[in-house]
Amino acid sequence: MNATGDALEAARKALELFHDVAVDDDGALSFRHGDVPCAVQGMELAEGLTVLSLTCVVAWDLVGDVALWVAERAGQGLFGTLGVIASDRGTDVMLRYAFPADGLEPEPLSTLLMLVVSTASQVRGELLSRFS
């Protein structure tokens, strides 16, 4: 297995402590944290630098000034970066977090991943209470 595969395998083991995890053909992982769908992808940016990228779809099809709220909320500090995507149906909100993953064992990796996905769930609750 290569470094990217090793990092994704460690992430799978870490996530399976808390979630059911699906492994895609390309090795990417997908799971749900409550109502928040999430995916983990791996890449080797340079030799010896493997990065995992966690993306959570926090909310979708929201109506209102979601982008302003997200910009204000992002300034309050998060594990990850909030982003918005506008469509004809409304605004979608994503939380992304990328980090070097070489040598991380499943237990500390699970702590890091759970910090990010719990932030995504918290932000989802805040968004739905304001824009639903």
Side-chain angles (χ1 to χ4, degrees), residues 56-63 66-67 70 82-96 127:
C56 300
V57 182
V58 175
W60 48 93
D61 299 339
L62 299 175
V63 178
V66 177
V70 166
L82 286 172
V84 296
I85 301 168
S87 72
D88 293 340
R89 294 181 308 213
T91 302
D92 302 342
V93 179
M94 314 278 274
L95 179 73
R96 293 184 178 96
L127 280 164

Side-chain angles (χ1 to χ4, degrees), residues 68-125:
L68 177 61
W69 185 91
V70 166
E72 290 172 351
R73 179 63 173 88
Q76 297 174 11
L78 298 168
F79 267 98
T81 302
L82 286 172
V84 296
I85 301 168
S87 72
D88 293 340
R89 294 181 308 213
T91 302
D92 302 342
V93 179
M94 314 278 274
L95 179 73
R96 293 184 178 96
Y97 188 69
F99 56 95
D102 292 317
L104 285 175
E105 296 295 322
E107 291 78 15
L109 184 54
S110 69
T111 300
L112 179 60
L113 292 169
M114 289 305 100
L115 284 169
V116 178
V117 298
S118 64
T119 297
S121 290
Q122 178 185 357
V123 171
R124 177 176 172 77

